[in-house]
Amino acid sequence: MIQIHFNNKISVSIIAFIFSISTLISCSSSNEEGNEIETLPTQTNTVGLTRNDTGALNDGYVLFAPIGSTTTYLIDKCGKQVKTWPSTYKPGQSCYILNDGSLLRTGNANNTTFNAGGKGGVIEKIDWNGNVTWTYTLSDALKCQHHDIKALPNGNILVIAWESKTNTEAIAQGRNPNLVPATVWSEQIIEIKPTGTSGGTIVWEWHLWDHLVQDFNPTKPNYGTVASSSKLINLNHNASATNQDWIHLNSIDYNASLDQILVSSHSFNEVWIIDHSTTTAQAKSHSGGNSGSGGDLLYRWGNPSAYNTGTTTQLFGQHNAYWIESGFPFENQIMIFNNGNGRTGGNYSTIEIIKPPVNGYNYIQSFPYGPTATSWNYNYGNPNNVYAQNISGAQQLSNGNVLFCNGPAGVFTEINSSGDMVWQYVNPVATSRILKQNDVVAQNSVFRSTFYPKSYSGFSGRTLKATITLENVNPLAASCK
Ligand SMILES: O=[N+]([O-])c1ccc(OS(=O)(=O)O)cc1
């Protein structure tokens, strides 16, 4: 605590200094002489920009969609608002700025059948001026978009969607009848070619249900040895009589040079790569496409017990698996936010980069799939630094820094390649209200934060002007240029 004897001699410049060090006057009392004492807490900002050190990558903006809000925000690295896009939907859950400056976002359509974390159901494009220019609804009693989408270079959009199967259908495929809920949510990936201002054509699709193996019932289809069927998904792995959300994909990415798709399965603790060069018919089968494997898994990493080839789990409820851009440190490798929920050795989050053993359009088949070691990681062995139980993500930046989102806490942190924090921002947008400094910080979770450099094509020809902070006051942001 700093105590200042407040009297007439105090100069205006000291007051200005006090505010410029982002310290807020919180209370006052009297000393023995009867002079008023102002007590200045050493407390710094609780929301908005909380840290901005030398070394932060400040040539761009951060996009985020607070889970409790229908507005999507773009801020600069001083924590000031640059742009907002209103919507009628809360997120469902990811959002992106496209090359033409429009926002591509998912929305929560409040599907009552698929009532689980990450539910969406609506995809919308909102132009730079805030006009909704396209919408697509994928939300009914049999299917529902959730978590993430990916815009393709040709303008089409890849979508992850739950696909409901009855317990009868699951048992008919070889699911253990003792471990089946009333409906089992499988997964599909569809590619939508948008048309007009709403709707579109599904031009490609992949269904997980076409790529099953089971060693439970020899009289049913898909019967085989799980360990020698690593390209297939074990219908009885993670089987439960109560949990419908069997797979729970939570991210999707696309690699244009390989023409492959990367998804993350929260429940399997694995990331999977599948071929996108296939026709839909080949994607249903086990052959065809650049890889020759049809729609079977080309690669999987994170949990060898999912295919009975080991017990060393590397991923624990991970999110945001994506290929790092060409030209960036660790280019073409895969970055993963490893939440660490259920981690051997305690719950804590790590950020990891792995180099998949790519070999042409395929992956070296050593079991369990490599690599055994990460190319880079943050927070390994530091259980106390960060723990985000769910949602969240991390992004490699061009200079080797990493921006990560602790989703449940609504905190975005930039670290340098040595793991030192250089920038931090706390989302002040809570459910139904904007938090003020020193309010209790709660209900401000964010699925993911995404950095866009000033040079990003979507900003070309646009005026991006920093205006206010989202929260009421922020001396650190005010002094930031
Ligand atoms: O609270 N949510 O909005 C939420 C919770 C879980 C969730 O699923 S997860 O796989 O992204 O953690 C998604 C959203």
Side-chain angles (χ1 to χ4, degrees), residues 266-319:
H266 185 275
S267 316
F268 271 50
N269 296 312
E270 283 189 298
V271 295
W272 299 335
I273 292 177
I274 60 171
D275 200 345
H276 174 264
S277 71
T278 51
T279 62
T280 291
Q282 289 169 332
K284 262 186 120 40
S285 80
H286 310 288
S287 62
N290 290 337
S291 66
S293 290
D296 288 351
L297 304 185
L298 304 184
Y299 174 68
R300 61 199 305 173
W301 192 84
N303 185 14
S305 71
Y307 52 103
N308 289 359
T309 63
T311 52
T312 309
T313 306
Q314 298 108 320
L315 294 177
F316 303 89
Q318 78 292 333
H319 281 77

Side-chain angles (χ1 to χ4, degrees), residues 57 59-66 72-77 85 93-98 103-105 147-150 252-253 320 322 325 328 392-397 402-406 411-414 423 425 446-454 456 459 464:
L57 190 64
D59 76 335
Y61 308 102
V62 178
L63 179 76
F64 64 100
T72 307
Y73 294 85
L74 187 67
I75 56 166
D76 70 4
K77 296 296 289 293
W85 287 267
Q93 302 259 327
S94 68
C95 60
Y96 299 88
I97 300 175
L98 299 178
L103 181 76
L104 181 70
R105 80 188 288 278
H147 285 92
D148 201 9
I149 53 176
K150 179 69 187 178
I252 183 163
D253 192 32
N320 196 195
Y322 84 101
E325 292 91 321
F328 281 31
S392 312
Q395 180 184 10
Q396 177 74 60
L397 305 180
V402 172
L403 177 70
F404 70 90
C405 169
N406 177 337
V411 177
F412 316 147
T413 303
E414 182 175 327
W423 184 86
Y425 182 88
V446 176
F447 181 64
R448 197 185 284 169
S449 59
T450 308
F451 179 80
Y452 290 90
K454 284 182 179 158
Y456 181 58
F459 301 141
L464 286 89

Side-chain angles (χ1 to χ4, degrees), residues 68-69 73 428-436 439-444:
S69 172
Y73 294 85
V429 182
T431 304
S432 318
R433 68 197 183 107
I434 310 277
L435 300 172
K436 296 189 172 75
D439 281 354
V440 173
V441 178
Q443 296 190 313
N444 66 330

Side-chain angles (χ1 to χ4, degrees), residues 67 93 117-118 147 248 250 266 319 390-391 445 447:
I67 283 177
Q93 302 259 327
H147 285 92
H248 198 95
N250 59 22
H266 185 275
H319 281 77
N390 58 12
I391 50 176
S445 56
F447 181 64

